[in-house]
Amino acid sequence: MGAGMTTAIKALSEIEVVSTEANNSERDVVDKPTTTVALDYGEIVLSNDEKIRMYGIPGQRRFDFMWAILKTRAEGMVLLVNNDAENPIAEMLAFVEDFRELCYKGGVVVGVSRSEIAPQPTTGEFARALAEVHPELTVPIFTLDPRSKDQMQMALLTLIVNLEMRETFGEAGVQQA
Ligand SMILES: Nc1nc2c(ncn2[C@@H]2O[C@H](COP(=O)(O)OP(=O)(O)O)[C@@H](O)[C@H]2O)c(=O)[nH]1
Ligand SMILES: [Mg+2]
């Protein structure tokens, strides 16, 4: 929560983003009046009648039914981690565990937000923590500002390149989850 998910989808989407927000019932955790309860939806239209459909799903309700649907249907995930949170590395690890299959398919990049406010932990520390638990995983990790369209496009492009490489070369040599 507060990682900038709604902001990120708004930065990327070419259509008016459909957002469902409601009162924040966890103001003790992040003090903002509203937070995403259901999802944010945005689209990027590609040339040949293809679209990238982006679904922003909230982190604080980790066992929401939306997760179950998107887990099986999503091709990739940009995992936004709020570096100004209590334990951002533990947050990342919990999500990687929950989206294990997606991660092993090469469909995940981690974007660490609010790093200009909270510079620690560094991306190196994120990477080391991840390597300790999942030594066989290669997950691109970078700091980004979800308010920046350029930076979000870079994250998305990295994700797409990862996925296309898997599609081209298969998962040969990649250990299964
Ligand atoms: N300073 C700073 N503000 C950010 C960053 N990412 C998001 N925000 C701001 O944090 C607030 C919450 O973002 P929001 O997209 O609603 O978070 P969500 O709960 O993940 O959907 C907004 O005012 C954003 O502009 C960041 O990297 N740095
Ligand atoms: Mg939101």
Side-chain angles (χ1 to χ4, degrees), residues 104-106 160-176:
Y104 277 83
K105 281 194 298 188
I160 291 166
V161 167
N162 255 10
L163 287 166
E164 292 197 334
M165 277 174 62
R166 296 303 173 114
E167 214 164 272
T168 307
F169 301 113
E171 290 184 41
V174 179
Q175 225 172 302
Q176 290 296 314

Side-chain angles (χ1 to χ4, degrees), residues 5-7 21 32 35-36 40:
M5 182 180 73
T6 302
T7 306
E21 303 258 334
K32 56 178 209 157
T35 189
T36 310
D40 301 297

Side-chain angles (χ1 to χ4, degrees), residues 114-154:
R114 292 184 173 269
S115 60
E116 87 282 8
I117 297 164
Q120 307 290 334
T122 63
T123 50
E125 290 171 303
F126 275 94
R128 276 191 291 280
L130 189 62
E132 229 166 76
V133 188
H134 301 280
E136 65 283 38
L137 266 188
T138 313
V139 176
I141 301 172
F142 30 88
T143 56
L144 53 71
D145 190 326
R147 296 169 297 181
S148 158
K149 182 175 182 170
D150 281 355
Q151 292 181 33
M152 285 313 305
Q153 282 181 333
M154 181 66 87

